[in-house]
Amino acid sequence: RCWQNRRARLLCMLALTFLFFVVEVAVSRVTSSLAMLSDSFHMLSDVMALVVALVAVRFAQRTRATKKNTFGWVRAEVMGALVNAVFLTALCFTILLEAIERFTEPHEIQQPLVVIAVGVAGLIINLLGLCLFNHNGVGGHGHAHGHGHSHGGRQQHPRGGPKPEQPPGDGEAALHREETSTLVENCSSSNGVSQEKLGDMKDDMSDVQVNGNAGHFSLDEEEAEEDSSAQLNMRGVFLHVFGDALGSVIVVVNALLFYGLWNPCPEDGPCFNPCVNNHCMENATLSQALGRANRSEQESITVAGPCWLLYLDPVLCLIMVCILLYTTYPLLRESALILLQTVPKQIDVHSLNSKLRTLEGVEAIHELHIWQLAGSRIIGTAHIKCPDPSTYMMVAKRIKEIFHDEGIHATTIQPEFASVGSESGRGKCELPCRTQCALKQCCGAGEDSTAKKTEKSSSVSISCSEVVIEFPKTRRTKSESIPSVKLEANTDQNEQFESSL
Amino acid sequence: MGRYSGRSSRLVLMCLVSLAIFAVEISVAYVGNSLSLASDAFAVLSHLISMIIGLFGVRFSRVKWHKASTYGFSRADVLGAFGNSVFATALMFSIFVEAIKRFINPQKTEKALLVLIIGISGLFFNVLNYAIFMECCYCRTPPGDTETGDSPNDQKSPEEGYEKKKEKKSEALNIRGVLLHVMGDALGSVVVVVTATIFYVRPLGDAPCNWQCYIDPSLTIVMVFIILSSAFPLIKETSTILLQMVPKGVNMQLLTDRLARVPGVSSLHEVHVWELASGKNIATLHIKCQTPSDYQDAAYKIREVFHKAGVHSVTIQPEYVDHKTSRLLCSSPCISKACDSQLCCSQREPPRAKTNGYMEKSESCLSAEHKDNGSRKSDVEIPVEDPAAEESVKICDVSDDKSQSGSTRF
């Protein structure tokens, strides 16, 4: 349903734009206007952006795991957004260079009427596209996301009541939980979203979450699917169309002004065009022309129209480039942050860490990783050190709850059981891979669970010693005495591990 | 950042010189009306930008831990390479468009001598750039790459032969991205020199355009194709990583088969393997076991399996089997079913065997169960999950009524 809408819109816009591109090329051949040809190629780049977005949407629907990709392809939309953003930046770059070229060599616009006609047609198409993609709730601004989301929500899901049922006696915490979960859903984007903005929507949204019963469940999920990753993708397309619309506006304005104000050189008769020639030649020609002509003929020398008109085009182009870059940068930043596996903005890893550590039964936490797959799917992993399995059983649920409260719903918690007598708090991983694998681990082992790290270059030298894993002897019937190796950790270039076995 | 601190001034100098060359080239290009020189100037500027992106990427990727990113910024490398290649592709597209325009509207190269001189100096500079870059930034190998192949514990050495996994020499993707641009530069300079030479040797003067005018765009198009053909593999490689795909050396089918055969594991699900950056593979999985001791045994062997497959950061979540619930479904995705849409992979559809690592063994669990009754002490209590109660409670009710069985239990 929702995604069909997205695809339909993209396809429709794609067809329109391609058609217009063909038309523009034809017109440019007929009028042999090079400017029109370059404008038509801007349309072609638009087409490419739409194709990229379409491909991303197609891919991202396959959320099931496959052999090639255990997460499904949900990330495709974020990638599509990034590609579009980079593409747009490159386009701005080339437009900039063209504008600089125009500054040095200004051109007149030939046949302004035709240019106006085509420009207006292009503008209409682009405005249509803007409407199409704006309806998605994109709006071009980060904080409009939440509004767009709930707008769609209100249309589709009749609410049972304005307020969700909250468990009695726990209003504050429940409210906070709902807020965080809706925050996750609604604003994976800018940090400008305050809770007040979401305040009126969050009740509805939490309705979705809290009271999702089986009947509405499928609807809710689909609405949640149309979440920020899809919005990122659409934003990319929107920005492309927006850039194109701006380009069309510039073309039309320029042509109109040209048509109105420009005083062209007529075919016959002496004409002096002060704008196009070299400055050195300018005065020479003028003086020669004036000298040769009689006084009576001076009035018949036409001087081509106001020169500033020729510079209008590049100036407007420069302004357009600035606007485009300014609006593209947030999109670029957002998709890059997701792809860099950063912690989503609304989650504070330190507070999460401390919350987990204050649970009783938890001795240490390490390898805590939180990252965003796409949209509202946030994934977390952690290794939790507990004294024994039964303690772990008791805290396991609580741990998951803490993660859930932060909006992290796909977690993998690995319990590790320390042997008796190990120091608490110095949580080195009990089960790393072998020593020599340290470079290939995702993060250098040897993180202190309590440390706040900034930069740490962990390059490990391979020593002959091996880290072995000792199992608590009470649990095993086979008595294997595994020697434990003690290494020391220092922050030097050669870093070795300390195992507190 | 040891290697860079001495070189950064040199690189900054290179950037400045690039900028100067760009300015000179573009002005001469407009004076001499040479498309190839203009596109070469383009290429120099894009090279500059890409170098900046590349340097930032490498700098960032040294950061191992940061409060904004628990994985550090090791992906910055990959992202920089991806951004660079997409940028290069987009630029090539616009150059292609310009070449088409030239075909339609051929123009002569004027002032061929000037263009030739600038072209040669541009070529020289590009080769110099390439040499400097190669020397400083390309051939660094991280220390201690090779595996030595000891097993962690002699007594527990596995039966199967130890597969020595040769570590693939992962060249920094980012540097490859920058080199792409350098190569583009060099090719562009070659094209410029060729065209200018032809126009210098056989000047056209005022004659209309003949075949000479078409050399410029045709060579440019050839250059575009060459660069695109080297950009696409890079794009493919980086997007493999960025899309969280299974890394190339890992065969999921084989891996899950081997994992399922580990004694003590009744079933596994939610197996995810992905690559953080070149060479660093990460895996997470949930396994269902009978008892905690099963888990500890199995955990070690599972790590071994992964180690042989080249995956060195593994997080294993144990879930304890209860005969009433389906073995295949995850017992503890999140605390309730309502969170399903935000799971990385939806739980609601019935799990197909072999996808997402859903695997079940029926026979080994029985053998594992009877392994040692001593470990099944009372303190390892496995509370019974009540499936009927679970279905009736749909709300993602997180409150402190732990007495309700609405969520997962072990």
Side-chain angles (χ1 to χ4, degrees):
Chain A
R1 304 173 37 235
C2 286
W3 58 259
Q4 264 167 0
N5 247 346
R6 256 186 356 235
R7 251 178 62 186
R9 271 184 260 157
L10 282 173
L11 276 173
C12 166
M13 190 65 193
L14 183 68
L16 267 180
T17 318
F18 191 69
L19 217 61
F20 190 68
F21 161 69
V22 169
V23 163
E24 256 195 325
V25 168
V27 168
S28 82
R29 290 300 282 140
V30 163
T31 64
S32 55
S33 143
L34 221 61
M36 183 126 312
L37 194 61
S38 36
D39 196 42
S40 68
F41 280 113
H42 284 164
M43 276 293 184
L44 187 64
S45 76
D46 220 18
V47 167
M48 285 175 54
L50 283 166
V51 166
V52 166
L54 255 180
V55 166
V57 167
R58 278 305 305 272
F59 260 105
Q61 278 150 21
R62 306 195 224 156
T63 54
R64 311 260 9 239
T66 62
K67 254 197 279 210
K68 285 213 193 127
N69 194 336
T70 51
F71 288 104
W73 297 98
V74 276
R75 264 246 173 127
E77 288 197 294
V78 180
M79 293 267 290
L82 182 73
V83 168
N84 273 337
V86 174
F87 204 60
L88 198 55
T89 311
L91 273 189
C92 286
F93 183 67
T94 60
I95 292 177
L96 188 67
L97 287 178
E98 268 179 34
I100 292 182
E101 175 194 352
R102 289 292 174 87
F103 265 124
T104 57
E105 257 190 43
H107 296 305
E108 291 181 26
I109 298 186
Q110 318 284 346
Q111 296 165 336
L113 277 178
V114 174
V115 175
I116 290 178
V118 176
V120 166
L123 186 62
I124 290 178
I125 291 189
N126 284 327
L127 285 178
L128 180 69
L130 282 182
C131 289
L132 271 182
F133 296 120
N134 196 20
H135 184 64
N136 198 22
V138 172
H141 299 288
H143 55 263
H145 275 193
H147 288 284
H149 195 132
S150 85
H151 179 69
R154 282 199 196 107
Q155 280 174 354
Q156 292 165 15
H157 307 289
R159 295 277 171 248
K163 283 227 176 291
E165 295 156 353
Q166 299 183 9
D170 207 9
E172 194 54 46
L175 206 59
H176 173 67
R177 260 179 259 116
E178 285 152 16
E179 283 173 14
T180 51
S181 40
T182 58
L183 266 179
V184 167
E185 246 191 12
N186 286 337
C187 45
S188 78
S189 63
S190 70
N191 36 10
V193 190
S194 56
Q195 295 209 351
E196 292 83 43
K197 263 197 186 118
L198 292 181
D200 48 341
M201 293 174 280
K202 85 168 174 282
D203 296 331
D204 292 354
M205 282 301 111
S206 49
D207 228 354
V208 174
Q209 278 239 295
V210 172
N211 283 336
N213 37 353
H216 290 303
F217 197 71
S218 52
L219 299 182
D220 291 351
E221 172 175 294
E222 289 216 32
E223 171 194 306
E225 285 299 314
E226 169 90 35
D227 59 355
S228 48
S229 72
Q231 285 176 353
L232 271 184
N233 200 14
M234 289 294 125
R235 240 166 93 193
V237 175
F238 177 81
L239 284 177
H240 261 272
V241 177
F242 179 62
D244 230 18
L246 276 183
S248 298
V249 165
I250 289 181
V251 163
V252 169
V253 163
N254 208 18
L256 271 177
L257 282 179
F258 226 80
Y259 183 61
L261 298 181
W262 181 252
N263 199 5
C265 267
E267 296 291 318
D268 43 356
C271 172
F272 173 59
N273 194 342
C275 313
V276 196
N277 294 334
N278 241 347
H279 284 294
C280 318
M281 290 177 50
E282 191 180 293
N283 297 333
T285 323
L286 189 53
S287 58
Q288 272 182 13
L290 286 182
R292 248 187 264 130
N294 299 334
R295 283 284 165 191
S296 58
E297 284 181 5
Q298 210 174 13
E299 297 81 19
S300 62
I301 295 180
T302 47
V303 181
C307 278
W308 58 267
L309 268 181
L310 290 178
Y311 294 102
L312 187 65
D313 194 8
V315 165
L316 286 179
C317 276
L318 279 179
I319 295 179
M320 175 179 102
V321 163
C322 290
I323 295 180
L324 274 182
L325 282 178
Y326 180 69
T327 48
T328 308
Y329 177 66
L331 178 67
L332 195 62
R333 197 163 161 251
E334 243 182 79
S335 37
L337 281 181
I338 295 183
L339 291 175
L340 282 175
Q341 311 281 99
T342 53
V343 178
K345 262 189 279 274
Q346 63 270 15
I347 296 180
D348 180 9
V349 170
H350 283 303
S351 75
L352 182 63
N353 206 354
S354 42
K355 267 191 226 170
L356 286 170
R357 252 183 303 123
T358 51
L359 285 181
E360 39 172 285
V362 170
E363 285 186 3
I365 311 226
H366 48 251
E367 293 272 341
L368 176 65
H369 292 296
I370 317 266
W371 52 282
Q372 185 174 5
L373 178 62
S376 55
R377 301 182 202 237
I378 305 186
I379 301 185
T381 61
H383 298 189
I384 309 247
K385 202 175 214 172
C386 295
D388 48 54
S390 53
T391 334
Y392 175 63
M393 303 288 202
M394 292 191 303
V395 297
K397 179 162 171 245
R398 192 75 196 107
I399 292 176
K400 290 257 175 181
E401 272 176 20
I402 291 184
F403 272 110
H404 170 89
D405 290 346
E406 297 273 342
I408 307 168
H409 302 282
T411 55
T412 304
I413 311 282
Q414 171 171 292
E416 294 172 6
F417 306 112
S419 56
V420 182
S422 64
E423 330 154 22
S424 65
R426 286 231 38 149
K428 298 294 188 229
C429 197
E430 302 278 338
L431 307 169
C433 197
R434 310 177 188 176
T435 328
Q436 57 266 36
C437 313
L439 281 176
K440 289 178 252 172
Q441 286 183 334
C442 70
C443 331
E447 287 170 35
D448 204 1
S449 59
T450 57
K452 300 188 202 317
K453 287 193 199 283
T454 52
E455 277 188 31
K456 192 168 156 60
S457 63
S458 57
S459 61
V460 182
S461 79
I462 309 307
S463 58
C464 304
S465 49
E466 303 135 359
V467 170
V468 295
I469 304 163
E470 177 181 326
F471 296 114
K473 294 205 173 53
T474 53
R475 299 277 172 230
R476 298 192 52 80
T477 51
K478 305 186 213 167
S479 58
E480 302 174 18
S481 56
I482 307 168
S484 57
V485 180
K486 196 161 186 187
L487 313 159
E488 47 181 9
N490 46 9
T491 53
D492 229 359
Q493 199 62 0
N494 299 332
E495 207 176 51
Q496 295 164 315
F497 295 112
E498 171 165 39
S499 147
S500 54
L501 295 173
Chain B
M1 308 203 191
R3 285 188 76 131
Y4 271 25
S5 46
R7 311 271 188 182
S8 54
S9 52
R10 206 180 297 190
L11 290 169
V12 169
L13 185 66
M14 250 165 65
C15 289
L16 287 178
V17 177
S18 288
L19 202 58
I21 294 263
F22 163 70
V24 167
E25 273 195 343
I26 205 137
S27 36
V28 173
Y30 290 131
V31 164
N33 203 9
S34 154
L35 165 70
S36 39
L37 196 57
S39 60
D40 196 40
F42 253 87
V44 168
L45 192 62
S46 82
H47 168 210
L48 186 64
I49 294 180
S50 79
M51 208 159 57
I52 294 177
I53 296 178
L55 282 181
F56 267 119
V58 177
R59 280 228 160 176
F60 263 118
S61 64
R62 304 277 188 144
V63 175
K64 288 294 178 205
W65 201 95
H66 189 263
K67 69 172 167 65
S69 167
T70 50
Y71 284 111
F73 285 107
S74 16
R75 273 251 174 120
D77 228 22
V78 180
L79 195 61
F82 183 70
N84 266 338
S85 3
V86 175
F87 196 64
T89 309
L91 283 184
M92 287 304 125
F93 170 68
S94 61
I95 290 181
F96 184 73
V97 164
E98 289 288 328
I100 300 274
K101 283 202 267 183
R102 277 280 173 128
F103 261 123
I104 296 175
N105 197 6
Q107 299 178 16
K108 306 189 268 261
T109 303
E110 294 147 22
K111 296 197 172 51
L113 186 58
L114 187 58
V115 174
L116 183 61
I117 292 176
I118 299 294
I120 290 183
S121 60
L123 181 62
F124 170 69
F125 173 72
N126 282 327
V127 170
L128 185 70
N129 233 358
Y130 189 74
I132 290 182
F133 216 77
M134 287 285 268
E135 182 214 4
C136 100
C137 313
Y138 189 53
C139 299
R140 50 187 189 101
T141 22
D145 261 354
T146 56
E147 288 190 31
T148 53
D150 340 324
S151 66
N153 180 2
D154 293 321
Q155 289 169 324
K156 274 191 100 170
S157 57
E159 272 82 337
E160 27 215 266
Y162 181 85
E163 301 165 12
K164 189 157 186 182
K165 211 132 182 90
K166 263 290 178 242
E167 194 212 35
K168 50 179 178 160
K169 175 104 177 293
S170 52
E171 287 128 18
L173 282 174
N174 210 7
I175 304 296
R176 265 168 69 188
V178 179
L179 276 180
L180 188 66
H181 281 259
V182 178
M183 190 182 73
D185 279 359
L187 276 181
S189 298
V190 167
V191 172
V192 167
V193 167
V194 166
T195 320
T197 316
I198 292 184
F199 268 100
Y200 182 59
V201 164
R202 302 166 52 124
L204 270 184
D206 286 328
C209 257
N210 58 356
W211 61 273
Q212 281 178 288
C213 296
Y214 291 97
I215 296 243
D216 204 349
S218 1
L219 283 182
T220 310
I221 290 188
V222 169
M223 170 184 103
V224 162
F225 276 119
I226 292 181
I227 295 184
L228 281 183
S229 70
S230 44
F232 276 137
L234 190 58
I235 289 185
K236 216 164 152 248
E237 233 182 276
T238 46
S239 42
T240 308
I241 296 181
L242 291 176
L243 282 173
Q244 310 284 102
M245 287 172 68
V246 173
K248 249 173 43 181
V250 175
N251 183 347
M252 280 306 285
Q253 193 60 38
L254 201 59
L255 190 63
T256 42
D257 281 342
R258 281 201 195 147
L259 287 173
R261 276 185 271 144
V262 169
V265 173
S266 330
S267 73
L268 23 111
H269 50 263
E270 292 270 345
V271 181
H272 294 294
V273 182
W274 52 285
E275 192 172 354
L276 175 64
S278 309
K280 299 191 184 166
N281 299 335
I282 300 180
T284 62
L285 69 156
H286 300 188
I287 61 177
K288 286 219 183 194
C289 302
Q290 300 291 111
T291 67
S293 63
D294 274 353
Y295 161 63
Q296 282 159 6
D297 236 354
Y300 180 75
K301 295 207 184 85
I302 289 179
R303 277 170 202 281
E304 253 185 339
V305 172
F306 270 115
H307 171 87
K308 290 195 195 122
V311 178
H312 302 281
S313 308
V314 184
T315 306
I316 307 175
Q317 171 170 292
E319 296 168 9
Y320 295 101
V321 171
D322 171 59
H323 295 284
K324 289 199 187 148
T325 64
S326 149
R327 281 184 188 206
L328 290 182
L329 285 181
C330 189
S331 311
S332 57
C334 187
I335 53 186
S336 102
K337 280 196 188 291
C339 314
D340 185 70
S341 62
Q342 274 134 333
L343 295 179
C344 71
C345 325
S346 165
Q347 304 275 326
R348 275 188 312 133
E349 290 97 355
R352 299 192 291 244
K354 314 280 170 97
T355 56
N356 204 14
Y358 272 85
M359 291 209 87
E360 173 179 14
K361 301 175 305 179
S362 41
E363 55 275 6
S364 67
C365 63
L366 299 174
S367 59
E369 205 173 321
H370 300 309
K371 196 158 93 161
D372 42 349
N373 299 324
S375 67
R376 256 182 172 275
K377 295 201 184 124
S378 56
D379 51 351
V380 183
E381 165 128 58
I382 307 173
V384 171
E385 255 183 86
D386 189 2
E390 189 174 56
E391 261 144 61
S392 67
V393 178
K394 295 289 190 283
I395 51 181
C396 198
D397 196 351
V398 214
S399 63
D400 39 8
D401 44 346
K402 295 192 188 342
S403 54
Q404 266 199 14
S405 62
S407 43
T408 63
R409 292 250 185 105
F410 296 106

